[in-house]
Amino acid sequence: MKRLLLSSLLCLMISPTIAGEQIQLYKQYLVGMPKIFLQKIHALEDCSSRYEQGTLCLQEHSLAGEKAQLAFRFLNDRLVSNVLMMPLTDAGKVKKIFHALETQFDLVLIEDGDDKFDILEVSANTFNKNNFTKMVADFENEAYQKRSIKYTFISKDEFAIQSRTARNFSDLFKDAPLKMRAAIYSVGRKDNQVMGTITFIVPGITAAYLDQNPVVEDF
């Protein structure tokens, strides 16, 4: 029964793509792309043993000139999320990739474990721009010392609309439009190496995916 409900939910969610409104995840990859189509255009490897069941990976990819592994997550054999993973050997890579994200997205949340820096909430209560910048820098510096930080972005167009009524990060996703695109950029340690991970999602669809496919290992 649960699988039938999720199948119906995905059909509803990808119907705009059928009707002509394509929901972009990352580059040319769209919500609802069939797995079989992606397997035809790419030499994909099954990486279920490292991640969720059914995840496929493309080993050779690049973002902002940096080599990365690109992963595809599916719900009922339809694409619901893209994930990029890359080793970060120097601070310059972090800045380059962060800049690439900022060209299309707006930063809305920074996390360091359980500690959260809500961009909307803090900026609304901080009237001095220099003070706000210092607060962000202090939060980031402490997180980077532990080499664990997560940034959440949403697409600039959706941010412009949603932020008019949102008071904090949570409000951004209340009654969010289906086409809202988000990116989550995480920096952390894996196998004694600092890794950067960028996950491109449409929040509502990704929630359905995770309900069916519990995370084995966080990307």
Side-chain angles (χ1 to χ4, degrees):
M1 183 66 180
K2 182 179 177 184
R3 188 172 291 272
L4 282 173
L5 287 171
L6 283 168
S7 297
S8 301
L9 177 64
L10 184 64
C11 287
L12 286 171
M13 286 176 169
I14 67 174
S15 61
T17 66
I18 296 171
E21 183 183 358
Q22 297 181 319
I23 305 171
Q24 181 189 21
L25 280 167
Y26 167 67
K27 292 190 179 292
Q28 73 270 34
Y29 305 112
L30 308 173
V31 170
M33 272 188 165
K35 180 192 289 187
I36 191 168
F37 172 75
L38 291 167
Q39 288 174 311
K40 284 181 179 178
I41 63 172
H42 293 310
L44 299 178
E45 300 177 4
D46 188 316
C47 38
S48 301
S49 60
R50 284 174 285 159
Y51 307 112
E52 298 95 344
Q53 185 66 32
T55 302
L56 299 178
C57 290
L58 177 65
Q59 299 298 331
E60 295 298 325
H61 188 72
S62 66
L63 175 69
E66 304 297 341
K67 289 184 179 179
Q69 181 186 84
L70 176 61
F72 299 85
R73 289 165 156 173
F74 301 92
L75 176 61
N76 299 322
D77 292 333
R78 297 277 181 168
L79 184 65
V80 292
S81 178
N82 286 120
V83 185
L84 282 161
M85 293 153 281
M86 65 209 78
L88 299 173
T89 53
D90 57 69
K93 281 190 178 183
V94 176
K95 292 179 180 178
K96 184 190 292 186
I97 294 163
F98 195 89
H99 177 73
L101 285 168
E102 281 192 311
T103 61
Q104 296 183 55
F105 296 87
D106 278 298
L107 180 63
V108 292
L109 182 72
I110 311 174
E111 298 175 83
D112 174 18
D114 294 329
D115 296 326
K116 296 183 183 346
F117 190 97
D118 190 319
I119 298 292
L120 270 71
E121 188 173 30
V122 176
S123 62
N125 296 302
T126 307
F127 302 103
N128 186 301
K129 185 178 179 180
N130 291 333
N131 287 345
F132 176 74
T133 303
K134 184 178 185 304
M135 291 166 72
V136 172
D138 289 345
F139 188 94
E140 288 181 313
N141 288 336
E142 186 172 339
Y144 275 117
Q145 285 177 12
K146 293 182 279 186
R147 291 186 171 85
S148 175
I149 194 166
K150 181 187 291 186
Y151 299 95
T152 299
F153 301 81
I154 66 168
S155 57
K156 286 186 178 292
D157 290 344
E158 299 306 330
F159 178 79
I161 297 168
Q162 294 293 105
S163 61
R164 291 171 190 163
T165 56
R167 294 167 297 175
N168 53 44
F169 170 76
S170 297
D171 285 349
L172 282 171
F173 291 93
K174 289 178 182 175
D175 301 318
L178 174 61
K179 66 178 191 261
M180 177 185 279
R181 187 166 64 124
I184 301 169
Y185 179 30
S186 302
V187 177
R189 279 195 173 276
K190 182 179 179 182
D191 299 328
N192 295 317
Q193 188 174 34
V194 179
M195 297 291 295
T197 304
I198 306 169
T199 306
F200 295 92
I201 63 172
V202 173
I205 294 174
T206 304
Y209 169 86
L210 293 174
D211 189 37
Q212 179 172 303
N213 301 280
V215 174
V216 176
E217 180 179 345
D218 189 4
F219 278 102

